[in-house]
Amino acid sequence: MKYLCLVYSDEELLHSLPESPHDEECLAYAEKVQGSGRMLAAEALEPVLTAKTVRVRAGKTVVTDGPFAETKEQLAGFYLVDAQDETEALEIAKGIPAARVGSVEVRPVRELDVPSRA
């Protein structure tokens, strides 16, 4: 089953605390998960200031700067993994270096129920 591990952190603290991970450590962990055959994708994201949020209401599109909600932690990156179950997904998530200074939300990926076209 696919699980998305969303990495959240306070951008101002992410790289400034003594326990903050460095890019080399994050890359090494991603390579370890890749080597296990569980990694489907993983990427770090640019700073939240580069984000745009799109909403469509009553047929009108509104694009705003920044994330969709005001929070102290911002989405910093993700791991998309193929885990046997939630327990394995949580094991993978707890090893993500940024979990030491932020949080990792683990969520199952919902397969869309799309009828096949004949």
Side-chain angles (χ1 to χ4, degrees):
M1 181 169 195
K2 292 179 190 170
Y3 287 87
L4 186 60
C5 302
L6 298 166
V7 179
Y8 290 92
S9 67
D10 181 328
E11 287 183 349
E12 293 180 17
L13 299 177
L14 179 60
H15 298 292
S16 63
L17 298 173
E19 60 273 11
S20 294
H22 295 282
D23 286 349
E24 297 82 11
E25 180 185 9
C26 295
L27 182 59
Y29 185 71
E31 288 173 349
K32 177 182 172 185
V33 178
Q34 178 74 35
S36 76
R38 296 292 179 210
M39 180 74 72
L40 299 175
E43 297 290 341
L45 299 177
E46 292 292 337
V48 73
L49 292 175
T50 65
K52 304 281 187 207
T53 299
V54 177
R55 290 181 178 85
V56 179
R57 302 292 185 270
K60 296 191 188 238
T61 302
V62 177
V63 179
T64 55
D65 290 338
F68 67 91
E70 291 296 321
T71 63
K72 290 185 178 188
E73 293 185 333
Q74 297 84 33
L75 181 61
F78 70 91
Y79 286 69
L80 178 60
V81 299
D82 186 12
Q84 293 177 357
D85 53 28
E86 182 181 76
T87 300
E88 185 178 34
L90 292 170
E91 259 319 289
I92 292 168
K94 80 176 190 182
I96 296 172
R100 295 194 308 263
V101 294
S103 63
V104 179
E105 176 184 343
V106 178
R107 189 184 298 184
V109 173
R110 182 173 64 91
E111 297 292 329
L112 296 178
D113 187 17
V114 179
S116 62
R117 296 179 185 189

